[in-house]
Each structure stands twice: as C-alpha cells, then as structure tokens.
C-alpha cells in the first residue's frame, strides 16, 4: 500500500464523515426547535462545506478550489449575519407587541 493510496482513503473517509455530519446538521436546521438552533446549524453547514471544498482541493491538487472556499466563507459569514439581523428585528418587534398588549 503506497502513501498515495493511504491519502486517498483518508480524504475519502474525511469527506464521508463530513457528509454524514452535514446531513445531521441539516436535520437540526430544519427541525429546530429554536430559531437560534437554525442559525447555528446554518453556520455549521457553511463551515463544513468549506472543509469539504478544502479537502477536495488537497485531494485533486487544484489550488483554485481554495479561492472558491474563501469566497464561500465570506458569503456564508454574510448569510449568518443577515439571518441574525433579521431574527433580532423580529424578536424586537414581538417584544414591543407584548409590551403594548400588557399596557392596554
């Protein structure tokens, strides 16, 4: 068994492990129960996708995939920030509505 075969098995195993983890995180993102769980699951899904892209860059020896991973990281970060901002706005609105109903 050569070192290349060992690396192939390692990369394949890592990608399969991450695929299973991504499936479980996707279930958490859909199921919830809280919106914060969904936001964290979305962030984890983006991070695991970046890891898969980086492993593929090593496995296929294609350096441009690292640039794709960096761009995906920026987009994933922006998505989580936007989701959090939207959630905070909705939470603040619900809080104000409860306060108004309590006063009335």
């Amino acid at each position: 068994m050569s070192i290349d075969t060992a690396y192939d098995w390692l990369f394949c195993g890592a990608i399969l492990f991450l695929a299973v983890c991504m499936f479980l995180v996707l279930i958490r993102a859909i199921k919830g129960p809280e919106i914060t769980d969904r936001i964290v699951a979305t962030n984890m899904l983006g991070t695991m996708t970046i890891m898969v892209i980086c492993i593929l860059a090593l496995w296929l020896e294609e350096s441009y995939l690292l640039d794709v991973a960096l761009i995906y990281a920026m987009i994933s970060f922006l998505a989580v920030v936007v989701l959090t901002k939207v959630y905070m706005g909705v939470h603040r609105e619900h809080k104000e509505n409860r306060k108004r109903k309590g006063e009335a």
Side-chain angles (χ1 to χ4, degrees):
M1 183 166 158
S2 71
I3 192 76
D4 290 333
T5 307
Y7 276 124
D8 287 344
W9 279 100
L10 177 71
F11 292 146
C12 186
I15 288 176
L16 286 175
F17 176 75
L18 286 172
V20 170
C21 288
M22 288 172 76
F23 179 73
L24 294 173
V25 168
L26 185 62
I27 290 172
R28 178 54 58 197
I30 293 170
K31 195 173 179 183
E34 300 287 329
I35 190 73
T36 52
D37 295 327
R38 291 185 175 112
I39 292 173
V40 171
T42 303
N43 190 20
M44 285 179 60
L45 197 58
T47 302
M48 286 189 219
T49 303
I50 294 164
M51 290 172 27
V52 167
I53 293 171
C54 289
I55 291 170
L56 283 174
L58 285 173
W59 195 4
L60 300 175
E61 297 175 3
E62 297 289 342
S63 62
Y64 72 90
L65 287 174
L66 296 175
D67 296 333
V68 172
L70 283 172
I71 292 169
Y72 191 85
M74 289 186 278
I75 292 171
S76 177
F77 173 73
L78 185 63
V80 170
V81 168
V82 168
L83 282 173
T84 305
K85 187 80 170 166
V86 168
Y87 170 67
M88 291 303 293
V90 169
H91 177 69
R92 196 172 298 123
E93 185 179 315
H94 283 215
K95 192 176 179 181
E96 290 173 5
N97 287 341
R98 277 185 267 163
K99 198 182 282 186
R100 284 187 203 137
K101 287 180 182 179
E103 293 173 0

